[in-house]
Structures are given as structure tokens and as C-alpha cells.
Amino acid sequence: MRHMLDARAGVTIYASTGMIGFNQPDRMSTLHFYHAVKGDSIRLLDDNYYFNVATYSLDFDDKYIYTYSYQENESWTTYRGDLRGDTYRKGVYIFEEEVFFRICLKRADGKDFTEYEAERINEILLFETSYKDEYIPKKCFEDEIIKTAADVKKFRNKNSVVLGLLTDSHYTVNGTWHDTAYNISAVHSISPFDAIVHLGDLTDGMVPKSVTRDYVNIIINDLKKTNVPLYIAIGNHDTNYFRGNKEPFTIQEQCEIYLKNNCLHAERDMDKPYYYVDFNDINLRSIFLYSFDYNENVRYGFPSEEILWLDKVLCNTPDNYKIVVFSHVPPLAEIHYWSNEIRNGNELIEILEKHSDKVMAYIHGHNHADQIYTKRKFPIISIGSTKIEYFEDKKPEGALTPKRKLNTLSQDLWDVLIITPSENRINLLRFGAGEDRTIYC
């Protein structure tokens, strides 16, 4: 089976690290990591070029789980060091084992590449593969799927809304996302959700725009298979700005990428990254805030116009409605390890506390830890990261980081959020690492 390739002119692959490099006009490379198995092949179709192959094993350094560490090309693989200056070739390359790979090309005449050549990469190279991306369920999750679905049936009632809730999935090549996607779908198939909420940082946001879009689409398309609405609170990594990425998304691009799926259900100005959704049958308003702007001096925080919008939305919320607020970043610096200040955070809290008779809770991600902060007039609830990660530093005081281990139940982490406004009750039913939590607001 032929698999189509994407490439970019002016990009190389460094022989020493296997990482991509830019501003190399005499090279053209694929940005994505492609999956190959034994017997697959790459064939040169145009003798005006040479090609080189960098391969990456499926093993990876567990520092990405047990320390604060992000792989710069968002790939949990290990470069095999097989790309060198003397390994450019013509003809056919045959894979001898299962690996991920990327390709670097140079012209036979030594001249620079053009964008047109990148567009015709599949006329230059032919990648034929027998690899099939077929998910095999893991036994370590079987009992938890049944238990979580049963607990959902136990706690839900006609006055509740049931939401699949996850945050900080940080998609990487050869990571654990496909396990999470299957587990969410499996629980939903037994005890259906009314919607799914992702609290942001779908990816690491360190790679070119085109690649990040593809990774985001993998997550969104997997979650959309449940056929329920999907609501996303945009995170700091979702801006594609992490560690000075040279291809950040504008706010308009962020809205188009992350919020296009909720247009039928959300109340939102189409050029704004914040919105609300009403569950009218149970008198609940859910508000989704935008909490990071790389253009600001204090990047973590809330735009002034968003604060004004929120005040108006709260004032116009019917008296018999309850409110739950979602965002990626917490509203206060004391529960945010990375900041001494959250822009407009105090103003945000003041407005919410002015309406504390309606506000049931504020729920956020970003901290990669569980916490219920109770020093305000409503609980501020932190959700642990769906990405498998276990280290206890770089977390706010009072936060709990559940232990995680690959290929065990604790590998996964997400919640089923059951909100029952008439009882002022919130249930967080944990799938995987961590504990269930019940909050009476």
C-alpha cells in the first residue's frame, strides 16, 4: 500500500541527533515521523535527487515520564544514528525491522530546493508499506472500563450532565494517546457521555504549524468518534509557542483549529477564544475561558475584554441557573508554580465571587496534578495530566501527583465529570491513576 509523504524545502535532518533543522536551502526533508515495518520500502522515482533515511526505534528514554522534560520534535522514540553524510542514495531502501523514520533529500546538481519540489514529493519518492494502524486493546484497562461505566450509571440521574473530562494530553509520536482514546470510547459505549471537555494542551506545541495541526486533528477526530459535542479550553502549549517555537498560532488560528467543532452548541463571538454552553434541561451554564497570550508581558492570565465579557455573561445568567467555569490555567498565582502573577486573575476571582451563589466550581488543567483549593467562595479544582507523567516537583503547594507506570492501569488518567446542579454536587470519577472525588458546592 502506498503511503503519501509530506516534505518541506529548506529543512535538513541533523546526523548527530536525528532532529530537524531549518534554513538549509540545499536540503528538503519530511517533518513527520512515519511508521514502517520489516519489508516496507522507499523507492526513488526521480534521478535528479538523492535521499537519506533516519530511523528511530520504538524504545524511548523514561525521562519523558519521570522528569520535567519535553522531546523537542515531539517523538518518544530513539534515534538510531544511521543518517550520515555518506549514506545518501538512489534506488530502493528496504526496512529490516519496525521503526519510525524521516527522509532528507538533496539535489543531484547541488542546487537549492523550491516549494514546488516539496509539493511534488510523492512524484520523487514512493513509500510502500504493509503497516496497519489497528489498535489492540490492553488487558490492564479492561476492569477499569467496566468499573468506571458502572459508577457513571450509579451517580448520574435525570438532573445531571455527564462529561468526559481530560487535560494535558500532550500528544507525541509513539506515546500513549491511542490507549486513552480507546478507553474513553469504551466507557462511553457502555455509559454514554453528554459531551467531552478537554482542558487544553492537546500537544506540546514545539513543532511546525502543519505538524501540530495534524497531531491536534488526531486527538479531535478520536474524541469526535463518540458523536457527542467536544468543548476545548485552549492551553498555553496549544498556541504552538512553547520554548520559542518560530511558528506560533494566531488567536484566529487557535479558534479555527480548536473551537470549530462546537459552533452548533456554544455561544461565542466567532473571533474570540472564550465561550459558554448551556445545558438548559438541568439549568447549568458552563463557561470556557482563554488563559494564555504569548503577546502579553504576563503571558498567563485573562484578557481584559474577556473579564468584561465574563461579567456580562454572569449578570445575564438566569437566576435559577448554576455555573461551572473551565479554563486551562488556574486563576491564582498561589496555585500556579510557574508564575508570581496571573494577569487579571484577581479581577476574575472578584467577578466570580460576586456571583458565588451561582458558581459551583472552577475546573482547570495545566498543573499536571490533582488539587481542590478551598480558600475562595467556590472550589478551584485541578485535574491531573492525561499524558503519562510522574514527578512531584514543579507543582503548587498542596497538589497531589498520582504515581504512573507504563503499561499498567496507572498509565492513563482522566475523569468522568458528573454535575448535578439541583444537588450542588460534582462527582469526578477517575479512570486510571488517582482517586474519585465528590464535591458539594
Side-chain angles (χ1 to χ4, degrees):
M1 177 181 68
R2 180 171 190 169
H3 187 100
M4 305 304 285
L5 303 170
D6 290 314
R8 180 182 290 190
V11 174
T12 191
I13 299 174
Y14 294 124
S16 58
T17 63
M19 299 297 102
I20 56 175
F22 299 91
N23 300 315
Q24 299 286 329
D26 64 339
R27 293 292 187 271
M28 181 170 73
S29 299
T30 60
L31 302 179
H32 288 78
F33 291 82
Y34 296 99
H35 204 151
V37 295
K38 184 177 181 179
D40 290 354
S41 64
I42 303 169
R43 183 183 302 275
L44 185 68
L45 303 177
D46 189 330
D47 278 343
N48 291 307
Y49 305 91
Y50 294 93
F51 73 99
N52 216 341
V53 181
T55 65
Y56 309 78
S57 75
L58 279 62
D59 300 319
F60 62 86
D61 193 328
D62 64 7
K63 70 180 182 180
Y64 301 124
I65 298 176
Y66 296 112
T67 65
Y68 178 72
S69 184
Y70 290 91
Q71 207 283 335
E72 63 182 281
N73 282 180
E74 299 183 22
S75 176
W76 283 10
T77 57
T78 298
Y79 174 52
R80 291 157 35 111
D82 51 358
L83 185 150
R84 303 186 306 274
D86 61 357
T87 54
Y88 281 89
R89 72 196 72 210
K90 296 190 177 185
V92 180
Y93 179 97
I94 305 293
F95 291 93
E96 298 180 353
E97 59 186 303
E98 183 177 8
V99 291
F100 287 90
F101 71 92
R102 294 197 287 199
I103 304 169
C104 184
L105 299 95
K106 66 179 182 180
R107 292 175 56 118
D109 61 10
K111 293 183 178 179
D112 293 348
F113 280 90
T114 66
E115 290 302 323
Y116 173 70
E117 288 171 295
E119 293 173 1
R120 58 181 296 268
I121 181 63
N122 291 289
E123 300 173 20
I124 298 172
L125 291 175
L126 171 65
F127 170 41
E128 292 188 302
T129 178
S130 60
Y131 171 72
K132 295 181 180 179
D133 189 12
E134 296 178 343
Y135 181 78
I136 300 175
K138 293 183 176 178
K139 290 186 178 297
C140 60
F141 301 121
E142 287 180 353
D143 291 343
E144 186 79 344
I145 289 169
I146 295 170
K147 177 185 179 298
T148 303
D151 287 345
V152 173
K153 291 179 180 178
K154 175 182 176 181
F155 286 102
R156 79 186 309 162
N157 61 51
K158 65 179 182 180
N159 298 314
S160 302
V161 64
V162 178
L163 306 174
L165 177 67
L166 68 159
T167 186
D168 296 276
S169 49
H170 290 275
Y171 180 90
T172 57
V173 173
N174 200 38
T176 61
W177 168 252
H178 295 301
D179 292 328
T180 297
Y182 175 83
N183 293 335
I184 289 173
S185 179
V187 173
H188 170 73
S189 68
I190 303 171
S191 296
F193 309 140
D194 297 305
I196 293 177
V197 171
H198 195 305
L199 294 176
D201 283 2
L202 282 72
T203 75
D204 292 345
M206 300 171 65
V207 293
K209 284 183 177 182
S210 60
V211 180
T212 295
R213 281 179 176 268
D214 288 343
Y215 293 168
V216 168
N217 285 335
I218 288 172
I219 293 179
I220 288 178
N221 289 336
D222 282 342
L223 295 177
K224 284 173 62 180
K225 290 176 183 177
T226 59
N227 292 314
V228 298
L230 170 62
Y231 305 117
I232 295 173
I234 298 172
N236 56 303
H237 287 255
D238 297 322
T239 65
N240 218 45
Y241 182 73
F242 192 60
R243 292 188 175 164
N245 191 344
K246 301 300 183 182
E247 297 187 21
F249 293 131
T250 65
I251 289 179
Q252 290 74 24
E253 287 174 319
Q254 293 169 48
C255 290
E256 185 272 326
I257 294 167
Y258 301 105
L259 306 184
K260 62 185 177 183
N261 298 285
N262 64 27
C263 296
L264 296 177
H265 308 279
E267 293 292 333
R268 177 173 73 91
D269 291 337
M270 297 310 292
D271 62 340
K272 305 299 181 184
Y274 42 85
Y275 58 98
Y276 70 87
V277 178
D278 285 341
F279 297 91
N280 293 311
D281 52 339
I282 62 168
N283 295 343
L284 175 69
R285 175 162 290 180
S286 54
I287 299 175
F288 296 82
L289 299 180
Y290 184 71
S291 54
F292 180 84
D293 189 342
Y294 57 80
N295 292 303
E296 295 283 350
N297 291 328
V298 180
R299 292 177 297 196
Y300 293 109
F302 307 89
S304 297
E305 64 175 10
E306 181 180 39
I307 299 297
L308 296 173
W309 170 87
L310 177 63
D311 192 21
K312 182 178 179 180
V313 168
L314 292 171
C315 288
N316 292 332
T317 300
D319 292 338
N320 61 338
Y321 271 52
K322 296 293 185 179
I323 295 168
V324 174
V325 181
F326 298 98
S327 79
H328 180 68
V329 174
L332 297 170
E334 56 260 41
I335 47 176
H336 185 245
Y337 172 85
W338 301 102
S339 295
N340 295 319
E341 177 187 357
I342 298 291
R343 179 170 35 88
N344 292 324
N346 290 327
E347 291 81 354
L348 172 67
I349 289 293
E350 288 177 6
I351 289 173
L352 291 174
E353 290 194 327
K354 186 172 66 174
H355 298 273
S356 59
D357 57 323
K358 296 179 182 178
V359 177
M360 294 181 67
Y362 187 111
I363 303 176
H364 67 89
H366 185 68
N367 286 349
H368 293 209
D370 291 329
Q371 186 175 20
I372 302 176
Y373 185 81
T374 58
K375 295 182 180 180
R376 308 305 301 212
K377 292 183 179 180
F378 48 84
I380 301 175
I381 304 167
S382 176
I383 308 297
S385 65
T386 294
K387 169 191 177 184
I388 178 173
E389 176 185 279
Y390 178 62
F391 53 88
E392 295 179 309
D393 61 330
K394 297 179 174 57
K395 306 292 168 64
E397 182 179 352
L400 173 66
T401 307
K403 291 183 178 180
R404 313 287 291 276
K405 186 177 180 181
L406 197 66
N407 296 320
T408 70
L409 174 59
S410 68
Q411 171 188 299
D412 208 0
L413 189 162
W414 52 276
D415 290 280
V416 181
L417 172 64
I418 303 178
I419 306 172
T420 311
S422 60
E423 301 176 15
N424 285 320
R425 176 169 53 86
I426 291 177
N427 295 101
L428 287 157
L429 308 180
R430 175 59 52 85
F431 187 102
E435 303 294 334
D436 295 349
R437 294 178 283 178
T438 299
I439 302 103
Y440 286 94
C441 308

